[in-house]
Amino acid sequence: MNPRPFLTAVWRDLAVLNFEVHPSLLAPHLPAGTELDLWKGNALVSLVGFQFLDTKVFGLPIPFHRNFEEVNLRFYVRGALGRGVVFIREIAPRRAVAGVARLLYSERYVALPMEHAIERNGGRLSVSYGWKQNGRRNFFAVEAEGEPALPVGGSPEEFIFEHYCGYTRMRGGGSRAYRVDHPAWRVWTVKAAECDVDGDTLYGAGLGEVLRGPSCSAMLGEGSPVSVFRREM
């Protein structure tokens, strides 16, 4: 019997900036029983923004909390459930969303005012996500063109998007994991990207410096319906 998902939603317009990072900066966030999943020998962190739409918990919509933005900073690991991601920090505009995620998944959510913009002009698509903290506007954006297609096997896009579980480092030194199910996502060809983020405040000085540098790649995923299951470890 297949388990019932705890949460279902539609994730759309996933803008991603990837940065190479020294593994020592990720060590404090690495859950027990996992190891870094490297891309061509390099550790990566990704700044990811997307739309969280039609959100339901055990099949029931939550009033005033169905549609919102999320931005997270994450990195990639391998563990008992397979290849997955670890979230360093997640931003949502709703306090209730952040509170539930902290309670049930021990994720490091923070609630901040957020915004996004989706602009289509001919064959070009521009997607941006922003938030305000301490009076400062933070944002990042990608500009893509053409039609979306499934990523080529062995491509950076396949590596970034084909992780189907989440791992969380617990305060006591243990770890928790959960599964996320969705079909493979089509991606666009990104031609330009921009980032202006005060990462020191949210992520610490080391990762803040990484985010002030150039990204090694930028991506835009179409998204799909997703199912998030209760923690398994």
Side-chain angles (χ1 to χ4, degrees):
M1 181 176 178
N2 292 328
R4 184 184 183 188
F6 165 72
L7 181 146
T8 61
V10 177
W11 293 352
R12 288 294 182 203
D13 301 313
L14 292 100
V16 182
L17 298 184
N18 302 304
F19 301 82
E20 292 184 4
V21 61
H22 194 279
S24 63
L25 290 175
L26 303 179
H29 306 283
L30 192 65
T34 67
E35 62 181 9
L36 291 177
D37 191 9
L38 304 178
W39 169 249
K40 296 189 179 301
N42 296 312
L44 301 178
V45 292
S46 299
L47 192 61
V48 182
F50 62 99
Q51 296 185 74
F52 219 122
L53 306 175
D54 195 24
T55 305
K56 297 177 182 177
V57 175
F58 290 126
L60 299 176
I62 307 301
F64 311 111
H65 292 80
R66 294 187 65 181
N67 302 320
F68 51 91
E69 305 96 337
E70 180 181 310
V71 168
N72 61 64
L73 185 70
R74 71 187 200 182
F75 64 97
Y76 304 91
V77 299
R78 294 177 181 268
L81 292 186
R83 300 173 67 208
V85 303
V86 177
F87 297 104
I88 297 172
R89 179 74 75 180
E90 296 161 273
I91 310 169
R94 309 285 190 184
R95 292 185 182 275
V97 171
V100 169
R102 287 194 298 264
L103 176 65
L104 295 180
Y105 288 91
S106 300
E107 295 288 10
R108 300 186 65 194
Y109 264 87
V110 60
L112 295 171
M114 298 186 70
E115 63 183 15
H116 75 278
I118 313 293
E119 297 181 4
R120 290 176 171 83
N121 183 9
R124 290 188 173 271
L125 173 62
S126 298
V127 178
S128 68
Y129 292 93
W131 64 96
K132 184 174 287 188
Q133 186 176 31
N134 298 330
R136 183 190 191 279
R137 180 177 181 261
N138 301 262
F139 80 97
F140 67 103
V142 299
E143 184 175 290
E145 67 178 18
E147 296 296 326
L150 290 175
V152 176
S155 65
E157 289 81 2
E158 182 187 54
F159 174 82
I160 292 298
F161 287 125
E162 297 298 300
H163 287 79
Y164 291 96
C165 57
Y167 294 91
T168 305
R169 180 185 175 99
M170 307 302 295
R171 285 192 175 89
S175 65
R176 288 178 177 170
Y178 55 91
R179 292 186 297 110
V180 180
D181 286 350
H182 62 78
W185 291 329
R186 299 192 300 173
V187 297
W188 281 269
T189 299
V190 172
K191 293 298 185 181
E194 187 177 4
C195 182
D196 183 6
V197 169
D198 175 17
D200 293 13
T201 302
L202 280 174
Y203 314 118
L207 289 169
E209 183 177 356
V210 169
L211 297 180
R212 284 192 292 274
S215 59
C216 61
S217 60
M219 303 170 182
L220 180 59
E222 185 177 36
S224 71
V226 301
S227 296
V228 180
F229 294 85
R230 297 293 293 269
R231 59 179 185 257
E232 298 188 17
M233 298 170 55

